[in-house]
Amino acid sequence: MSGTVEFERHDAEAVNSAKLRQPLYAARKKIFPKRAKGSFRNFKWLVMVVTLGIYYLTPWIRWDRGPHAPDQAVLVDIANRRFYFFFIEIWPQEFFLVAGLLIMAGLGLFLITSTVGRAWCGYTCPQTVWVDLFLVVERAVEGDRNARMRLDQGPWTARKIGLRTLKHSIWIAIAVATGGAWIFYFADAPTLLVDFVTGTAAPIAYMTVAILTITTYVFGGLMREQVCTYMCPWPRIQAAMLDEHSLTVTYNDWRGEPRTRGTKKALAQGVEAGDCVDCNACVVVCPMGIDIRDGQQLECITCALCIDACDDVMGKLGRERGLISYATLADYNANMLLATGDGSHEIRPSLVHDSAGKLTEAVSKFHIRKLFRPRTFVYFGGWVLIGLLLLYGLVSRERLEMNVLHDRNPQYVVLSDGSIRNGYTIKLLNKIPEQRTVTISIDNLPGATMNALGLDQEEGTTITVALEPDRSHSLKVFVRQPRGEAKKPGDAQPFVFRVEDKSSLDRADYVASFETPE
């Protein structure tokens, strides 16, 4: 390649370098990540905007459910024991739907990790997203890496105090907004906002905002990578999810070694030189403070910013990109065998490059079909199965439910005319936001009649009840059977309570028992 190639070389050492890592806890060394540019960085910008937009704006979305239900699209109504999600309303006894969603989230995390490594950690984890947001503020106020390092090492001047005050003030404002957004999911957002600002909100609201403000500020602004390294259990669990066909961010030392800062000089001396020019661009952009060239590390969140930095340098040098790339262990091992002559000698870049400096056809490269393997099919199959079961449970669930509790003492009463009477407490659940009238009847109990306590209705075979919208209703019912109608005196007779809404065709049955004396 002719001419002078200009690229920035950094005099940097990874804060969490494997060579310098201490066996015991040591005081934290500050990390000043340089802003990266490239496709992965752009993707992280997109994810950050989308996820933060969803979090902050969702409580303000309205959804019309009628006059008897809240109009907030997503609401956890603890007071009335409801969870609203757009057109879905979940009652306490339907919490299995939420449990199923959590299981789907777990399987989805296993699926993502087994295919593309810690993509959750690198892109969508709340800790990653808020650290990215705090870094945006830090760069906007104090400048990029070198400027921030000079400011940190310099004396406490008026300028430094002013910049630090501005930065931390914005961080605290973001933290307060984060806590504030969280409480809006548990009450009507516009109403709660007015109450919160005027000081009339419940104390728990202020406590929640205070706790989330502190944790967001400390975790996102002060601790940063330490949360991922020391507090999060997922880096230690993910190893069980990975195999030799999982994609992870990898430094391909089979083409990068031996490193040299003077490629032309090395070639002139007859020494083979790898593609890595030891510019440390991958080190200075890493938010975890590691050197990806040390190999796979617990601290790596696979954000792929090192790929963007390295690709930029390779592009300026006119070399093939992908010195650092998403790669599988199987491909890496195959290429390492190729570069070392099946392990018989040190890495020789000439074995993986052609005369034009491009990678040879013998180099193993990633293909999308490598992701489709038994493990991913099992995870995906389980994920889909649970999703279908939840969908079926959601579609087929009853909007009218009934539960019946037999009186325990006394179990039956013999009336003056010799007939037998049993008492029951019937609980009806109207799961729609509309008032409706239902009819309760009994079946498979010969000659039986009933009446309800507190209702001005004559004793008969049916009872008509008006149900409030989205509410439960409790009713005391007495069932009477003439003497001699019992099939087997002394035995409990099973029969059916049936409740029907004839306008909507909703119906629910409950098998109860009628006790008789011997």
Side-chain angles (χ1 to χ4, degrees):
M1 182 177 178
S2 59
T4 302
V5 178
E6 294 185 1
F7 65 92
E8 188 175 1
R9 193 182 298 277
H10 305 275
D11 184 13
E13 181 73 57
V15 170
N16 290 325
S17 172
K19 297 178 293 183
L20 303 177
R21 193 169 300 147
Q22 301 180 29
L24 299 177
Y25 177 79
R28 176 179 182 255
K29 296 181 180 179
K30 289 186 179 180
I31 298 174
F32 302 90
K34 179 181 173 63
R35 179 174 178 176
K37 296 180 180 179
S39 56
F40 290 105
R41 177 64 267 183
N42 292 337
F43 182 66
K44 281 175 67 68
W45 289 132
L46 176 63
V47 171
M48 185 177 73
V49 171
V50 171
T51 52
L52 290 176
I54 291 174
Y55 177 74
Y56 287 118
L57 299 178
T58 296
W60 302 94
I61 301 175
R62 302 293 99 183
W63 188 270
D64 186 13
R65 298 185 181 91
H68 302 287
D71 65 348
Q72 187 162 308
V74 179
L75 176 65
V76 182
D77 190 353
I78 296 178
N80 295 305
R81 295 179 295 176
R82 302 285 188 279
F83 173 54
Y84 298 96
F85 186 81
F86 293 91
F87 63 91
I88 300 173
E89 178 182 354
I90 297 179
W91 288 63
Q93 62 268 38
E94 297 171 338
F95 203 77
F96 69 90
L97 294 172
V98 177
L101 288 176
L102 293 177
I103 294 174
M104 285 187 68
L107 282 178
L109 186 57
F110 293 166
L111 173 62
I112 293 298
T113 303
S114 67
T115 52
V116 291
R118 291 174 63 185
W120 159 262
C121 300
Y123 300 100
T124 55
C125 174
Q127 173 67 14
T128 298
V129 172
W130 263 273
V131 167
D132 263 0
L133 179 59
F134 278 36
L135 280 173
V136 169
V137 174
E138 186 171 271
R139 292 192 186 102
V141 173
E142 298 181 352
D144 207 353
R145 181 175 187 268
N146 292 336
R148 300 202 308 276
M149 291 178 68
R150 287 194 299 269
L151 183 68
D152 187 71
Q153 296 168 3
W156 282 93
T157 61
R159 176 178 179 274
K160 181 174 180 177
I161 294 174
L163 291 178
R164 288 291 168 87
T165 301
L166 176 60
K167 179 183 73 172
H168 286 276
S169 298
I170 298 175
W171 281 1
I172 292 174
I174 293 172
V176 171
T178 301
W182 178 256
I183 64 173
F184 292 148
Y185 284 89
F186 296 86
D188 181 67
T191 304
L192 181 56
L193 178 61
V194 174
D195 292 343
F196 191 89
V197 173
T198 57
T200 58
I204 188 64
Y206 296 100
M207 292 173 59
T208 302
V209 172
I211 292 172
L212 290 179
T213 297
I214 294 171
T215 53
T216 303
Y217 172 73
V218 172
F219 291 170
L222 305 181
M223 294 184 66
R224 295 184 180 175
E225 78 287 345
Q226 289 187 307
V227 174
C228 304
T229 303
Y230 297 110
M231 297 176 61
C232 181
W234 187 238
R236 293 153 181 83
I237 298 174
Q238 66 152 347
M241 302 292 106
L242 299 175
D243 59 26
E244 64 274 15
H245 299 293
S246 301
L247 279 175
T248 57
V249 174
T250 305
Y251 167 62
N252 297 307
D253 51 359
W254 48 267
R255 60 167 282 197
E257 300 295 325
R259 306 174 201 173
T260 177
R261 295 195 171 195
T263 305
K264 293 182 178 180
K265 182 178 179 180
L267 294 176
Q269 296 175 350
V271 179
E272 289 198 45
D275 285 342
C276 181
V277 294
D278 207 17
C279 63
N280 290 323
C282 57
V283 175
V284 296
V285 299
C286 180
M288 298 300 294
I290 66 172
D291 188 341
I292 191 63
R293 295 171 297 180
D294 291 337
Q296 294 297 320
Q297 299 158 69
L298 176 146
E299 294 86 357
C300 181
I301 60 173
T302 66
C303 63
L305 296 182
C306 53
I307 297 180
D308 284 338
C310 187
D311 282 351
D312 181 60
V313 174
M314 291 296 104
K316 292 177 179 178
L317 293 173
R319 301 179 185 179
E320 193 167 343
R321 301 188 177 199
L323 176 58
I324 302 175
S325 65
Y326 269 104
T328 66
L329 180 60
D331 288 340
Y332 172 85
N333 288 337
N335 292 331
M336 181 60 76
L337 288 175
L338 178 64
T340 59
D342 291 334
S344 60
H345 50 70
E346 297 293 328
I347 296 174
R348 294 178 183 173
S350 59
L351 296 178
V352 294
H353 291 87
D354 57 23
S355 57
K358 302 296 182 182
L359 296 178
T360 65
E361 293 294 328
V363 171
S364 296
K365 296 181 180 179
F366 171 74
H367 192 278
I368 190 66
R369 65 173 179 272
K370 295 180 180 180
L371 296 180
F372 301 102
R373 57 192 194 279
R375 172 178 287 199
T376 55
F377 281 123
V378 169
Y379 288 146
F380 184 72
W383 187 82
V384 170
L385 177 61
I386 294 175
L388 292 176
L389 291 175
L390 291 179
L391 183 61
Y392 173 77
L394 186 64
V395 173
S396 63
R397 64 178 179 169
E398 299 292 340
R399 300 189 301 169
L400 178 63
E401 292 186 2
M402 175 173 57
N403 188 40
V404 180
L405 182 65
H406 193 291
D407 286 353
R408 300 185 63 183
N409 188 22
Q411 290 187 324
Y412 60 86
V413 174
V414 180
L415 301 179
S416 58
D417 62 355
S419 59
I420 311 300
R421 188 181 73 182
N422 282 204
Y424 303 88
T425 299
I426 298 179
K427 292 186 177 181
L428 302 173
L429 189 58
N430 179 18
K431 300 171 69 174
I432 62 174
E434 299 175 6
Q435 182 170 338
R436 58 177 169 180
T437 301
V438 299
T439 302
I440 302 174
S441 60
I442 50 179
D443 190 23
N444 200 33
L445 192 63
T449 57
M450 61 180 173
N451 68 296
L453 190 65
L455 293 182
D456 187 17
Q457 298 180 27
E458 294 185 0
E459 183 175 341
T461 57
T462 62
I463 297 173
T464 301
V465 183
L467 300 181
E468 293 295 320
D470 203 29
R471 289 289 184 271
S472 60
H473 184 84
S474 184
L475 191 67
K476 183 69 174 181
V477 173
F478 296 104
V479 177
R480 184 174 68 87
Q481 186 181 42
R483 189 176 184 86
E485 291 290 346
K487 296 179 181 179
K488 293 182 179 181
D491 291 340
Q493 301 179 71
F495 71 102
V496 176
F497 274 111
R498 177 169 295 130
V499 59
E500 295 179 278
D501 179 0
K502 296 184 178 179
S503 62
S504 64
L505 302 181
D506 287 336
R507 189 181 87 170
D509 291 345
Y510 189 96
V511 178
S513 62
F514 189 84
E515 301 289 342
T516 59
E518 296 182 1

